[in-house]
Amino acid sequence: MEARWLSVGPVQENTWIARQDGSDKALLIDPGDEPEKLLQALADLGTTPEAILITHCHFDHVGAVKAMAEATKAPVYCPAGEVFMLEDINSFAFPGLTFENYTPEHTVKDGDKLHLAGFEIDVIGTPGHSPDHVTYSIPADKAIFSGDVLFQGSIGRTDLPGCDHATLMASIQKLLDTLPDETGVLPGHMEPTTLGRERRSNPFLNELARP
């Protein structure tokens, strides 16, 4: 898998473009802002999204969904329990920021399996940072697009409406219990990491059971 990220918007969210090496079909994950920048990156790579995948519907992850869906004609896959947020983005955005709402073509939930852009993708329910957050796992490449669940040395915040710390920690525990340590974590903010690195060194995981 070839994956690269562009940090966009006021809180530097990571929008990911992933494809099989050299493919003209890609996945676009969490287009948060700056659609012109994202479109230019796709053009530079010579690829087009076959699908737009959303991990969760906080404004910084979905602010450019409408623009990118209309420009690329790619269908949008949204966590079923957060469609209401995508359809009313500005009610959940920081004051002074304005984005365009969108109704997704598809919804996803824990346990779904997707076949898109040459990838087999497992949808893993990972709520806590948001009500119906999901993680997209690509087992063949030992990689997850984890949104705002787990970061390098940190975890997703749980002081927003619909967040819950205990639920988030249970979601992280599920990832650690079911995926190998070498799994690459391709997050919604900051640098990539691995599950093993975070298991060993992330201070926020001290409360979790460890082998």
Side-chain angles (χ1 to χ4, degrees):
M1 179 176 67
E2 177 185 354
R4 63 181 63 194
W5 78 95
L6 296 90
S7 294
V8 298
V11 292
Q12 290 295 282
E13 180 264 350
N14 293 340
T15 294
W16 287 89
I17 299 170
R19 63 177 178 173
Q20 300 283 2
D21 288 347
S23 175
D24 62 354
K25 297 296 182 183
L27 302 173
L28 181 65
I29 300 97
D30 287 355
D33 207 342
E34 301 183 61
E36 298 85 359
K37 182 177 180 179
L38 303 181
L39 288 169
Q40 185 60 58
L42 289 165
D44 291 345
L45 289 169
T47 194
T48 302
E50 185 171 298
I52 296 170
L53 305 183
I54 300 173
T55 63
H56 66 296
C57 289
H58 287 161
F59 75 89
D60 54 321
H61 289 253
V62 297
V65 165
K66 179 179 173 64
M68 295 304 295
E70 291 183 348
T72 66
K73 310 304 180 187
V76 174
Y77 291 72
C78 176
E82 297 192 11
V83 171
F84 74 99
M85 299 170 69
L86 185 60
E87 293 180 334
D88 188 19
I89 298 174
N90 296 311
S91 292
F92 304 93
F94 289 168
L97 299 177
T98 303
F99 302 97
E100 293 187 279
N101 302 327
Y102 194 77
T103 297
E105 286 74 22
H106 303 282
T107 60
V108 295
K109 64 183 186 306
D110 180 55
D112 284 351
K113 293 184 180 295
L114 308 176
H115 301 271
L116 297 165
F119 294 107
E120 294 189 6
I121 306 162
D122 294 335
V123 181
I124 304 172
T126 48
H129 172 71
S130 69
D132 199 29
H133 193 298
V134 300
T135 290
Y136 295 99
S137 173
I138 303 181
D141 291 283
K142 294 184 179 177
I144 56 174
F145 295 97
S146 58
D148 287 1
V149 171
L150 181 64
F151 304 123
Q152 188 178 116
S154 189
I155 60 174
R157 60 188 294 183
T158 54
D159 59 342
L160 301 170
C163 297
D164 182 76
H165 178 77
T167 302
L168 175 65
M169 298 311 292
S171 292
I172 294 171
Q173 185 75 69
K174 178 166 68 171
L175 295 177
L176 293 173
D177 287 347
T178 59
L179 298 173
D181 274 1
E182 60 267 29
T183 298
V185 177
L186 310 181
H189 300 274
M190 300 187 288
E191 300 282 327
T193 183
T194 67
L195 286 179
R197 174 177 178 173
E198 299 314 305
R199 185 197 299 275
R200 294 187 298 271
S201 63
N202 190 321
F204 292 90
L205 306 191
N206 287 337
E207 66 190 81
L208 297 179
R210 301 197 184 202

